Amino acid sequence: MQVEVVSREDYLSFIEKQPLGNFMQYPSWAEVKTEWKNDLLGWFDTEGQMAGCALVLYRKLPGMNKYLAYIPRGPVIDWESKNIGEWFAPLFEFLRRRNVFSIKMEPPVVRAKWKTPTIKSYLKEVRKHGLKGKTFRDLGPDEVDARAEYVQQELAAMGWKKKEGEGGFSAIQPQYVFRLPLKGRTLDEIFSGFHTNWRRNVRKSEKQGVEVTEGGLEELPEFYDLLKVTAERDKFAVRSYSYFETMYKALKREDPNRIRLYLAKYEGELLASTLAIHSNGHTWYLYGASGNEMREKMPNHAIQWRMIQDAHEIGAHTYDFRGISDALDESEPLYGLLRFKLGFGGEACELIGEWDYPLQPLLHWAFDMYMKKR
C-alpha cells in the first residue's frame, strides 16, 4: 500500500462512493478550515487502484517547522480490514516527510448503540430510585460491534493513544451522537416513531402558522444573528460570521445539496434557524439557533421535522442529530440535549473516539502538557 497526494477530482470520485465518507473528509471542508494547511491523500494498492482516502489538516507549531496533523472523522479506509497496520504504515511514512510530530484522528467507527426504548426504560429506573451520575456506560447497549473492539485493540497495539473526553465530548468532535435511521421507512413510519408530545408539537407549530422554508446566502445573516442570541442564552462561544459564509459558499460550490439553510418564521419573524449538511446518504444537523420569544409555537420541532423530510426525500439512510453527552442524569447540564433528540425516536451511538499517534513522542508530550494548561 502506498499513500500519495491526489487531485481533487480523483479524491471526490472516490469518496462519494464510500459508505463511511463524512462531510469533514471532503475537499470543501478544507476550504472552511482556513487556518489549517491541508492534503488530499489517497491509498493505492499493489495494482495502483485507489483503496482509501483522507483529508489531512496541518497546524504549524509556533516558531518550529513542525506540524500537528488532524484527520477529522477519518481516514476513509477499510476499517473491517484484518490488518489495520498496513493502512497506517505508509501514512506515518508520508506524514514524517511533512514534518509532522503528532497525528490526531477520529475514526468513523461506531462501537455501540442504544435504542430509544432502552434509554427511556433506564431513565425511568434512574428517576424512580433517585440515582445520580449515571451514564451510557452504566446501561448495557443494544448492539456492540465486535469489529470496533478489534480496531481499538489494533490501534492501541500500534501505539495510538485514546483520548478520553469529558461527558463524551472530546476537545474536537463528540464521541456520542444521536441518529435517526431512515432507510426502508416511510415518512409516516418515521413520524409515528416520535414521542407523542413531539408529534403534537409538530402539528401545533403547523396549526399556529409557523412556516419552515429553505433559505439562501442572503438569509445567512438572519441565521447568524439568531445564533448569537442562542449563544448568549446558552453560554457558548460562537464563530465569526465569515466562518459561516465561507462554509456555506464552499459546500454549495462542491454540491448544491451539500449544505442547506432552514428558517422557521411566524408572521415574518424568525423563530428558529438551522444548517444541515448531506453527503454519502447521511444528513447531519450541524448548527441550530432559536430566539427567546414565542417558544410556545414549537419552531424547533417544526424545523427538525422539515429537515428529516428533506433528508428522506434526497435518499438519506440516516438523519444525524450529532452530539449528545453521555449523561443519563437529569441534573446534568447537558442532559437537555439528549432529551430533545430522544423525542424523535432514534438511537444513541458511541464512536470509538479521538486517537493520537506521537511520531515524535517528546514533542507530542510537551505539546500535550501545553494544551492541558491552557
Side-chain angles (χ1 to χ4, degrees):
M1 203 88 77
Q2 296 291 321
V3 168
E4 58 190 67
V5 173
V6 296
S7 70
R8 184 189 184 103
E9 294 71 29
D10 288 348
Y11 188 95
L12 278 171
S13 74
F14 179 82
I15 195 172
E16 283 170 352
K17 301 181 184 76
Q18 304 307 308
L20 293 179
N22 186 289
F23 70 93
M24 292 184 190
Q25 279 293 290
Y26 272 74
S28 56
W29 198 247
E31 294 176 47
V32 177
K33 298 298 174 183
T34 54
E35 69 275 27
W36 299 72
K37 293 183 176 181
N38 68 83
D39 273 327
L40 297 174
L41 301 183
W43 274 258
F44 292 85
D45 61 24
T46 51
E47 295 175 359
Q49 295 295 310
M50 194 164 167
C53 69
L55 165 64
V56 182
L57 302 173
Y58 301 103
R59 177 67 69 88
K60 191 174 186 289
L61 276 185
M64 298 180 73
N65 188 32
K66 297 290 180 182
Y67 293 85
L68 169 69
Y70 172 43
I71 309 173
R73 286 291 190 242
V76 184
I77 58 174
D78 180 9
W79 287 100
E80 295 182 19
S81 169
K82 289 180 181 177
N83 185 3
I84 295 290
E86 72 174 352
W87 293 89
F88 286 101
L91 178 66
F92 296 159
E93 186 183 331
F94 179 91
L95 293 178
R96 281 192 179 96
R97 295 199 299 269
R98 285 286 197 260
N99 286 327
V100 168
F101 73 92
S102 186
I103 310 164
K104 184 180 294 293
M105 69 172 180
E106 298 138 352
V109 178
V110 172
R111 188 197 76 85
K113 294 180 181 180
W114 293 262
K115 309 284 185 187
T116 288
T118 303
I119 301 169
K120 284 184 175 178
S121 176
Y122 187 69
L123 287 170
K124 279 183 187 174
E125 290 298 307
V126 167
R127 282 193 293 270
K128 181 180 174 182
H129 299 289
L131 303 174
K132 296 293 181 185
K134 294 298 178 182
T135 71
F136 278 106
R137 289 296 171 104
D138 299 303
L139 172 60
D142 292 296
E143 296 176 28
V144 175
D145 192 330
R147 288 170 302 187
E149 300 289 1
Y150 172 74
V151 166
Q152 293 192 94
Q153 289 171 15
E154 289 295 293
L155 292 176
M158 247 183 281
W160 286 91
K161 314 288 184 189
K162 186 170 182 177
K163 199 151 192 169
E164 296 296 342
E166 290 183 16
F169 282 86
S170 74
I172 310 173
Q173 300 300 329
Q175 188 171 347
Y176 291 85
V177 298
F178 198 81
R179 293 174 175 173
L180 177 63
L182 306 179
K183 190 176 181 180
R185 304 171 72 196
T186 66
L187 283 172
D188 285 344
E189 288 168 340
I190 293 163
F191 189 69
S192 67
F194 291 6
H195 186 281
T196 309
N197 291 344
W198 268 239
R199 294 199 301 271
R200 187 172 65 238
N201 289 342
V202 169
R203 293 189 183 111
K204 178 182 177 182
S205 192
E206 213 171 84
K207 278 182 185 173
Q208 292 192 355
V210 173
E211 292 186 335
V212 181
T213 58
E214 187 181 341
L217 186 60
E218 60 278 9
E219 281 87 20
L220 196 62
E222 290 183 67
F223 158 81
Y224 187 70
D225 288 343
L226 201 62
L227 185 64
K228 286 192 288 185
V229 171
T230 310
E232 188 175 339
R233 181 182 68 237
D234 296 343
K235 297 180 173 51
F236 64 84
V238 64
R239 293 177 181 271
S240 67
Y241 175 75
S242 63
Y243 176 85
F244 291 94
E245 184 179 39
T246 299
M247 180 196 299
Y248 189 85
K249 287 179 176 178
L251 272 64
K252 273 288 182 194
R253 264 197 311 272
E254 192 170 78
D255 182 337
N257 280 325
R258 183 77 73 235
I259 187 167
R260 293 186 178 188
L261 168 66
Y262 291 89
L263 306 110
K265 292 186 176 182
Y266 174 73
E267 295 183 347
E269 184 174 343
L270 186 63
L271 306 184
S273 187
T274 56
L275 285 173
I277 291 186
H278 178 82
S279 78
N280 303 73
H282 202 119
T283 295
W284 290 266
Y285 161 43
L286 191 64
Y287 283 98
S290 61
N292 298 325
E293 310 299 323
M294 293 190 275
R295 295 172 74 83
E296 74 281 357
K297 295 196 179 294
M298 303 298 169
N300 294 318
H301 293 79
I303 207 166
Q304 288 294 337
W305 176 228
R306 170 63 189 273
M307 289 197 292
I308 291 165
Q309 288 174 292
D310 284 1
H312 189 273
E313 185 185 348
I314 60 175
H317 54 68
T318 302
Y319 180 81
D320 199 321
F321 289 91
R322 298 191 77 235
I324 53 173
S325 91
D326 64 350
L328 292 172
D329 180 342
E330 292 179 356
S331 65
E332 288 291 325
L334 291 171
Y335 174 78
L337 271 176
L338 173 64
R339 183 182 176 276
F340 177 69
K341 296 171 184 183
L342 200 59
F344 294 95
E347 56 194 22
C349 302
E350 180 195 4
L351 287 96
I352 65 169
E354 183 181 321
W355 294 75
D356 291 329
Y357 189 88
L359 286 173
Q360 295 184 17
L362 194 57
L363 195 50
H364 169 89
W365 176 84
F367 178 75
D368 207 34
M369 290 298 103
Y370 167 74
M371 293 303 290
K372 284 175 181 174
K373 289 175 184 175
R374 289 184 69 182

